[in-house]
Amino acid sequence: MHIQDSQWTSTASASAVAGGPAAAGGSGRGAGDSSRAAPLRVDAQRNLEHVLRAAREVFGELGYGAPMEDVARRARVGVGTVYRRFPSKDVLVRRIAEEETSRLTDQARAALGQEDEPWSALSRFLRTSVASGAGRLLPPHVLRVGVADEPADAAGAVRDETRVPQQRHAVVAPDLRLVEQRTSPVTEDVPADDAGAAALLDVVGQLVDRARAASELREDVTVADVLLVIATAAPSLPDAAQQAAASSRLLDILLEGLRSRPA
């Protein structure tokens, strides 16, 4: 999925207009602010839910580059209705990505807390996440963690704008945790104010650490690799049954590639 990073420049204040997770209270609000904070009418709330559902579907199928008109068409509302709730596309993109990041984090925590076996916990998280389709809606800076700049060709142009998480090939003794190694390289591209992305990387890192310490995960597999598996194994196909079968088959193959093998 090709994601334009320029769509990730919305501010917290813009998100607050849309009623997203970045909205926060503050002193000195005027009457206009109070009215915007009031509960939505039933029809307005219904339209908002339709827009959010449509946005998840459209962005999941076409990527975050899909136009707002496509979202409005899928929601069966006018594009003006979409813009009344989300004053820019950046705000809508941020809202959707924050929700999907939070959902993935919850899934990772559930796997970590409910599975005693390290490999079972990691594979459960991957299967649950891929089945939910959340990988198609991961924020761009999460998918680009630890990525160096692409090499330029002779004309000075970047050869490929599509970037994926970089692999690191550090071999560490099984009984050592990789907290320090994970924290710096993996989160260096995550915005300092994005607590949701940082939480996701941390809990997925715990799953990776446990599986590696149990010698069930290849030593060179990183948190970025696990996120790449989620994004890769969630194809968007027109037939739901075919999509589920393809995702399951592809994930089985990728999981086999992640497992360590006896020397």
Side-chain angles (χ1 to χ4, degrees):
M1 177 178 69
H2 185 70
I3 301 174
Q4 296 294 329
D5 287 344
S6 62
Q7 294 168 349
W8 203 255
T9 58
S10 61
T11 62
S13 60
S15 184
V17 173
S27 60
R29 282 187 173 182
D33 293 328
S34 297
S35 64
R36 283 195 298 270
L40 295 174
R41 301 189 313 272
V42 173
D43 57 338
Q45 179 62 38
R46 183 166 52 246
N47 283 342
L48 175 60
E49 292 171 356
H50 289 169
V51 168
L52 290 172
R53 184 183 307 112
R56 282 190 289 268
E57 293 174 358
V58 170
F59 292 148
E61 294 169 8
L62 305 177
Y64 284 123
M68 292 283 266
E69 288 77 8
D70 284 3
V71 174
R73 192 176 303 112
R74 184 72 63 91
R76 297 186 177 182
V77 299
V79 70
T81 298
V82 179
Y83 278 108
R84 276 195 294 274
R85 292 304 305 162
F86 301 94
S88 74
K89 182 179 173 183
D90 289 344
V91 177
L92 179 57
V93 166
R94 188 177 187 91
R95 172 72 175 265
I96 297 300
E98 285 176 342
E99 290 180 352
E100 293 307 307
T101 299
S102 178
R103 178 160 64 145
L104 277 175
T105 303
D106 290 342
Q107 291 170 351
R109 285 175 176 153
L112 193 63
Q114 298 175 16
E115 294 288 346
D116 294 330
E117 295 296 326
W119 179 256
S120 297
L122 180 60
S123 60
R124 169 178 169 167
F125 166 63
L126 286 170
R127 292 189 184 281
T128 302
S129 301
V130 169
S132 72
R136 294 190 295 271
L137 294 166
L138 279 170
H141 57 264
V142 171
L143 283 177
R144 290 183 58 182
V145 291
V147 176
D149 290 338
E150 293 288 340
D153 58 22
V158 175
R159 289 196 295 265
D160 186 0
E161 292 181 357
T162 303
R163 303 182 181 189
V164 296
Q166 182 185 44
Q167 293 190 11
R168 299 193 310 280
H169 300 279
V171 177
V172 180
D175 59 337
L176 297 180
R177 289 184 58 81
L178 303 181
V179 174
E180 290 300 322
Q181 187 176 1
R182 181 183 75 244
T183 301
S184 177
V186 175
T187 61
E188 61 186 3
D189 289 343
V190 176
D193 62 344
D194 195 339
L200 173 63
L201 295 175
D202 179 72
V203 68
V204 174
Q206 294 180 52
L207 289 167
V208 169
D209 289 347
R210 287 180 57 193
R212 186 187 287 111
S215 299
E216 294 180 316
L217 183 70
R218 282 172 41 181
E219 292 288 351
D220 61 335
V221 173
T222 68
V223 174
D225 296 325
V226 171
L227 295 177
L228 182 58
V229 166
I230 295 173
T232 303
S236 180
L237 301 175
D239 181 78
Q242 183 182 12
Q243 177 175 302
S247 292
S248 178
R249 173 62 176 162
L250 181 56
L251 183 55
D252 285 342
I253 294 171
L254 293 173
L255 282 171
E256 283 300 307
L258 294 177
R259 297 203 73 162
S260 61
R261 291 290 178 265

